[in-house]
Amino acid sequence: MPNSSPKKTYYRWWVMSFIFAIYTIANADRANIGFALPYIQKEFELSNTMAGLLVSIFFLGYSLNQIPSGMLISKIGVRKVYAGGMFFTSIFTFFMGIIDSIWAIKICRLFVGVAEAPVAVGSSVTINNWFPSKEKGTAAGIYLASSKVGPLIVPPLCAWIIMHFSWHYIFIFFAFPGLIGAIFWYFMVHNKPHESPFVSQAEIDYIHQDDKKVKSETQKSIIPPIQFKRTWIDSIIRTKPTKTLTTTRQVFRCWDIYGVAVGYFFMVGTVSVLMAWLPKYLLEERHFAIMSSAFLSSSPFLGTIFGNFLGGFLSDNIFKKRRKPLMIVSAASTSLTMYSLVYAPENMYLLGGLLFITGFLLSLGYSAFIVYPMGRADKASYPTAFAIINMGGQLGGMCAPFFVGIILDYFSWSAVFTTLAIGSLFCLGLVLSVIEPEPTY
């Protein structure tokens, strides 16, 4: 039962803070492989291709479980599925630190990905359930910023652990925060706002102010809709009125969902390469010391935090819930910054600045990829729409590190960055091909 007080609570922002903290932990469990990778590669005598496969196998499990996770959340609710996903993510992370077989490590890494999939889907579904449409872009920006806090803090922590213990303890130490987070989520976050004892009716009405069903039942608390005003940018991004996707069948038959999913493939692929291979590049190709490499490895993810926050705000407030403009900016700018890394400066501070800018520009439109289906599908169909898009992204996360390993075995780092730049151009073309739905207010 919700809090019956007439005063409007703001518990949805507490929920957002829980998402931020727990998804940071989940992404730390995902990112820790990057700094451990050179040491695992040396201990088990792995080629770059096989090392890339170890990274990619996480995304195999993660991507393949996206749609099942979305369907399971639709059936039994986000609360139990989310908590269970975080719990098993931590369990399999722990086992990676105590086993001594490369095949067992690969199996555990696969199941870390399987277990983490509901956490990603559940975070987005929670935002969709707990926030009004005018705040969803900002909330999604905060959510995706948390996905970069993990990779930001992981390199220095991993460097410290390796200097004092061994790479095995990276996974052991990183497992415990997730177990605590899983328990905390189960008791503090309910499936819907009206199920929570911490939420007043006034906040529930505010959250559902643009929901037609709730409008008809709570007319006194609803603000009349504002007429959408077209501007010059709508001609460029192809803004059109669209029918809301209300069934799974409609979602699976919508090209725009697939276009955004394949575009997201290239964006997530680029991020996964930075997460998994940047420490090795800095340690072995550029010959930086371990702590210098750690802080440089954090630089792009510091940029992504600022970019996600700013991108979510701009998407909601400056572009008035138009999602494509910043998707276009990120795809175009990432192509340029990836190619610029072919000619990366030798100076540590200049290189750190370039990596920061790379992360910042990449992330400006990053949240728009997952917010886009919120404007196309209703709340019942949204988990499936999001799962398709996120599955596309995570397939990119699976493929890119593996292909980078192959490229490094036969070519060079210049070929890696050039390939990533070309991939970003493909993303730009796909984003341009989809329709921008006419926003509702």
Side-chain angles (χ1 to χ4, degrees):
M1 291 293 291
N3 185 344
S4 60
S5 169
K7 184 178 179 180
K8 187 173 78 172
T9 52
Y10 293 89
Y11 193 71
R12 66 193 183 281
W13 292 109
W14 282 105
V15 171
M16 190 68 247
S17 70
F18 303 153
I19 292 174
F20 187 93
I22 295 173
Y23 204 57
T24 293
I25 295 168
N27 276 271
D29 290 337
R30 180 191 310 187
N32 53 25
I33 192 74
F35 219 88
L37 189 63
Y39 302 93
I40 295 174
Q41 193 174 357
K42 182 177 180 180
E43 181 170 327
F44 293 101
E45 299 181 347
L46 302 178
S47 67
N48 288 318
T49 301
M50 289 298 101
L53 180 62
L54 177 59
V55 175
S56 295
I57 203 168
F58 165 90
F59 291 97
L60 174 62
Y62 190 69
S63 59
L64 293 180
N65 200 28
Q66 291 295 308
I67 293 176
S69 294
M71 291 180 171
L72 188 61
I73 286 171
S74 294
K75 185 175 182 179
I76 68 173
V78 68
R79 182 186 185 187
K80 293 179 180 179
V81 180
Y82 191 108
M86 195 64 237
F87 177 83
F88 285 106
T89 295
S90 299
I91 292 296
F92 287 113
T93 296
F94 179 82
F95 280 123
M96 285 187 66
I98 62 173
I99 53 184
D100 58 3
S101 162
I102 188 61
W103 286 105
I105 290 174
K106 288 178 180 178
I107 292 170
C108 282
R109 190 65 182 171
L110 173 68
F111 281 104
V112 171
V114 171
E116 194 176 308
V119 180
V121 179
S123 294
S124 184
V125 170
T126 300
I127 290 170
N128 198 37
N129 288 340
W130 279 77
F131 286 85
S133 112
K134 64 183 179 182
E135 293 178 352
K136 286 177 182 177
T138 301
I142 296 172
Y143 154 59
L144 285 176
S146 72
S147 72
K148 305 307 181 295
V149 174
L152 172 67
I153 63 176
V154 158
L157 287 175
C158 289
W160 182 87
I161 291 170
I162 288 173
M163 289 172 66
H164 292 84
F165 302 97
S166 71
W167 66 264
H168 303 81
Y169 284 90
I170 290 175
F171 303 105
I172 295 171
F173 290 169
F174 275 68
F176 289 100
L179 295 174
I180 297 170
I183 297 169
F184 188 85
W185 179 274
Y186 183 81
F187 287 103
M188 298 304 293
V189 183
H190 292 70
N191 294 323
K192 302 288 180 64
H194 69 265
E195 298 174 4
S196 174
F198 308 110
V199 180
S200 69
Q201 186 60 48
E203 185 175 10
I204 293 171
D205 293 341
Y206 177 79
I207 290 169
H208 293 296
Q209 64 181 263
D210 52 355
D211 187 317
K212 291 182 180 180
K213 185 177 293 186
V214 178
K215 281 182 183 180
S216 64
E217 299 172 355
T218 56
Q219 293 179 357
K220 293 182 180 179
S221 63
I222 303 306
I223 301 171
I226 302 171
Q227 185 67 34
F228 171 68
K229 295 180 180 179
R230 295 183 65 86
T231 66
W232 60 271
I233 200 171
D234 293 301
S235 299
I236 298 174
I237 63 175
R238 300 177 64 226
T239 303
K240 297 180 181 179
T242 56
K243 291 184 179 180
T244 301
L245 306 173
T246 58
T247 67
T248 300
R249 179 184 177 87
Q250 289 175 349
V251 170
F252 278 113
R253 297 180 67 179
C254 180
W255 156 251
D256 294 332
I257 297 297
Y258 291 112
V260 172
V262 182
Y264 201 37
F265 174 98
F266 293 104
M267 288 289 99
V268 176
T270 300
V271 171
S272 68
V273 169
L274 293 174
M275 194 183 297
W277 285 104
L278 188 58
K280 179 180 175 68
Y281 166 73
L282 295 167
L283 285 166
E284 298 183 2
E285 178 73 10
R286 303 302 297 271
H287 305 294
F288 286 108
I290 185 169
M291 288 307 298
S292 297
S293 297
F295 286 110
L296 282 171
S297 296
S298 298
S299 296
F301 299 103
L302 179 61
T304 59
I305 292 172
F306 287 98
N308 280 136
F309 277 120
L310 180 61
F313 175 82
L314 293 176
S315 181
D316 277 346
N317 297 282
I318 304 302
F319 292 106
K320 304 299 182 182
K321 299 197 292 182
R322 297 173 178 88
R323 309 308 180 186
K324 275 183 61 176
L326 290 177
M327 293 161 71
I328 292 170
V329 169
S330 281
S333 61
T334 299
S335 181
L336 294 175
T337 54
M338 284 297 106
Y339 190 69
S340 69
L341 286 171
V342 174
Y343 306 100
E346 295 292 331
N347 182 274
M348 172 181 169
Y349 299 102
L350 292 177
L351 178 57
L354 176 58
L355 291 171
F356 176 89
I357 292 170
T358 296
F360 176 79
L361 293 174
L362 187 155
S363 63
L364 276 176
Y366 205 80
S367 63
F369 283 89
I370 68 164
V371 179
Y372 179 85
M374 295 179 185
R376 296 303 308 271
D378 65 8
K379 290 189 176 182
S381 300
Y382 172 75
T384 302
F386 170 78
I388 292 172
I389 290 175
N390 205 36
M391 179 179 177
Q394 304 318 317
L395 285 172
M398 178 188 73
C399 295
F402 178 62
F403 286 139
V404 165
I406 296 173
I407 292 170
L408 289 176
D409 277 338
Y410 293 96
F411 300 100
S412 66
W413 281 101
S414 294
V416 168
F417 295 128
T418 301
T419 301
L420 292 174
I422 293 171
S424 296
L425 288 178
F426 277 107
C427 176
L428 176 61
L430 287 159
V431 169
L432 290 171
S433 75
V434 305
I435 293 171
E436 173 73 45
E438 192 172 280
T440 57
Y441 297 94

